[in-house]
Amino acid sequence: MNFFNRLHTRYVLQHHAIEHVLWLEVTEKLASLEGMTAVEKAHLRELTTLFLNEKKFSGAQEFQLTDTMCLIIAIQACVPALWLGIGCLSGWTEIIVYPSAFRISRDEKDAAGVVHYNDNALIGESWLRGPLILSWDDVERDMPDNQSGRNVVIHEIAHKLDMLNGSADGFPPLHHGMAVVAWSTSLSVAYESLVQRVEHHHHPVIDSYAATSPAEFFAVISEYFFCAPEILQSHFAEVYQQLQLYYRQDPLLRQHPVC
């Protein structure tokens, strides 16, 4: 089976290659790629090609998507998967893009079993074995900004990775050799510290939305890991180290390469 998978991969890369001019045009606009080596960008291009071939993009509310828009989303979706492999982004096929923030109405059950009606405006959402949903306004807003630690595509892809072993809970499947205790302890301590800061109205150092749940904490720190690594490393050094091991990348080193 691996032989046939390799043949298919080779076929896709050869026959569905991303136009070189378009690739350069888009990658130059994405701050999240700043400092990547030529090797990393070449591998990212291969992953992005495979991703585009596997996923179906559609615009909601009659929103018209262009090839450039799809490429912008696909590249950023593949950044967290750079050294994890395209397989971690399998199990779902659809990407739905709204022109701007979209409203979701649904009934949700709390821990006590009480059902509540919620009507929320969202900029992104990930469903278990379902679509990835994004607001284009927010995708576009994040493109040139690599300082705020916000990137809706990376946020939602982090949820997808988290859900590889079930519902999102801030505990994605770890690699062989990663210590479960070290992951649990470092993220739990950081999460509880953030929750306490938010509850006592202290400056939260990272987006307070991370204090919503362990799942949102993992998604938000993943945004900071790739888009504002200095902030994450300076305030949550052990968390940064765990994400280094998990994503097999070091965005901080890209910003400050060793000569």
Side-chain angles (χ1 to χ4, degrees):
M1 183 60 71
N2 287 335
F3 171 75
F4 290 107
N5 285 340
R6 288 196 297 271
L7 279 181
H8 175 69
T9 296
R10 187 180 304 169
Y11 178 86
V12 171
L13 295 178
Q14 289 178 349
H15 293 84
H16 299 278
I18 300 166
E19 183 184 346
H20 185 64
V21 173
L22 180 59
W23 174 260
L24 292 179
E25 176 188 330
V26 170
T27 54
E28 287 175 357
K29 296 177 181 178
L30 297 176
S32 56
L33 309 187
E34 184 179 346
M36 274 194 178
T37 65
V39 171
E40 287 176 319
K41 284 188 176 180
H43 187 52
L44 179 63
R45 187 172 181 173
E46 291 183 345
L47 282 181
T48 303
T49 303
L50 298 173
F51 184 88
L52 286 168
N53 187 67
E54 292 180 4
K55 308 304 181 189
K56 174 187 175 184
F57 287 76
S58 59
Q61 299 175 344
E62 300 183 354
F63 186 53
Q64 297 299 311
L65 290 171
T66 66
D67 290 344
T68 299
M69 291 176 177
C70 294
L71 181 58
I72 287 169
I73 293 169
I75 291 173
Q76 294 178 94
C78 289
V79 167
L82 184 63
W83 300 116
L84 302 181
I86 194 66
C88 72
L89 300 177
S90 63
W92 54 281
T93 58
E94 190 175 11
I95 298 172
I96 302 171
V97 185
Y98 281 81
S100 57
F102 50 95
R103 301 203 72 84
I104 295 293
S105 301
R106 61 167 66 99
D107 292 331
E108 295 181 349
K109 186 181 296 186
D110 64 20
V114 179
V115 176
H116 302 271
Y117 173 77
N118 289 317
D119 181 39
N120 299 313
L122 304 178
I123 64 172
E125 190 173 38
S126 294
W127 294 6
L128 179 65
R129 293 183 293 276
L132 180 74
I133 309 173
L134 300 165
S135 154
W136 174 252
D137 277 355
D138 291 273
V139 172
E140 195 171 36
R141 178 209 64 193
D142 295 337
M143 287 172 58
D145 186 2
N146 206 29
Q147 302 301 320
S148 67
R150 298 184 63 175
N151 187 294
V152 65
V153 179
I154 290 176
H155 183 104
E156 298 306 330
I157 289 296
H159 281 317
K160 285 291 189 183
L161 296 173
D162 191 0
M163 292 187 284
L164 286 173
N165 55 0
S167 299
D169 57 4
F171 207 120
L174 303 181
H175 310 306
H176 177 71
M178 287 188 68
V180 172
V181 172
W183 175 277
S184 300
T185 302
S186 60
L187 268 70
S188 295
V189 169
Y191 173 68
E192 291 302 331
S193 172
L194 181 66
V195 170
Q196 289 298 314
R197 294 187 69 86
V198 171
E199 288 181 347
H200 289 86
H201 306 289
H202 296 156
H203 178 60
V205 304
I206 64 172
D207 189 348
S208 60
Y209 188 63
T212 305
S213 69
E216 295 302 342
F217 181 74
F218 173 65
V220 171
I221 61 174
S222 293
E223 292 181 82
Y224 277 83
F225 180 72
F226 289 106
C227 300
E230 285 187 336
I231 294 176
L232 185 65
Q233 200 278 335
S234 63
H235 293 286
F236 300 111
E238 292 184 6
V239 169
Y240 184 89
Q241 185 179 32
Q242 288 301 310
L243 293 188
Q244 250 186 295
L245 294 172
Y246 175 69
Y247 286 113
R248 295 169 171 159
Q249 300 185 54
D250 189 353
L252 193 58
L253 185 61
R254 292 182 189 136
Q255 293 189 3
H256 305 284
V258 178
C259 300

